[in-house]
């Protein structure tokens, strides 16, 4: 069990290295998208079963939308222009 946790912790620390295989911008975009989906599902659930609307500040939701679109957009632009080999 200890070796498993140590291996997972080492894998988590690899996220912060300069040379890794994980695109951090996509991870941030996915997390922001997941938070937006959770808010939407909670709003639907509370509206359907509780009869109340979930009050979400418009600025917070818009911020998550901008972070999601920005993260995925930057990741795609990086893929298009970043890995060109001049041979």
């Amino acid at each position: 069990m200890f070796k498993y946790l140590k291996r997972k912790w080492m894998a988590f620390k690899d996220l912060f290295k300069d040379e890794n295989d994980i695109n951090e911008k996509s991870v941030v975009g996915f997390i922001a998208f997941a938070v937006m989906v959770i808010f939407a599902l909670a709003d639907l659930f509370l509206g359907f079963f509780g009869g109340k609307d979930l009050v979400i500040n418009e600025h917070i939701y818009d911020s998550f939308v901008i972070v999601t679109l920005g993260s995925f957009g930057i990741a795609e632009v990086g893929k298009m222009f970043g890995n060109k080999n001049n041979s």
Side-chain angles (χ1 to χ4, degrees):
M1 179 70 174
F2 179 71
K3 288 183 181 182
Y4 174 76
L5 291 175
K6 184 177 179 183
R7 188 173 59 230
K8 289 295 181 184
W9 174 250
M10 291 298 188
F12 178 73
K13 284 180 17 181
D14 289 342
L15 284 174
F16 301 103
K17 291 183 179 178
D18 288 336
E19 299 294 325
N20 62 17
D21 296 334
I22 298 172
N23 189 347
E24 295 88 0
K25 294 172 280 300
S26 294
V27 172
V28 169
F30 176 75
I31 291 171
F33 179 73
V35 169
M36 288 186 342
V37 169
I38 290 169
F39 276 132
L41 292 176
D43 188 26
L44 288 172
F45 181 78
L46 288 174
F48 187 70
F49 291 112
K52 297 181 182 179
D53 287 338
L54 179 64
V55 179
I56 300 172
N57 191 342
E58 182 179 345
H59 299 291
I60 294 173
Y61 186 78
D62 289 344
S63 298
F64 278 114
V65 170
I66 290 169
V67 168
T68 302
L69 295 175
S71 296
F72 288 135
I74 291 170
E76 288 302 314
V77 168
K79 284 181 188 177
M80 277 195 313
F81 297 114
N83 295 329
K84 299 232 176 183
N85 293 332
N86 293 332
S87 51

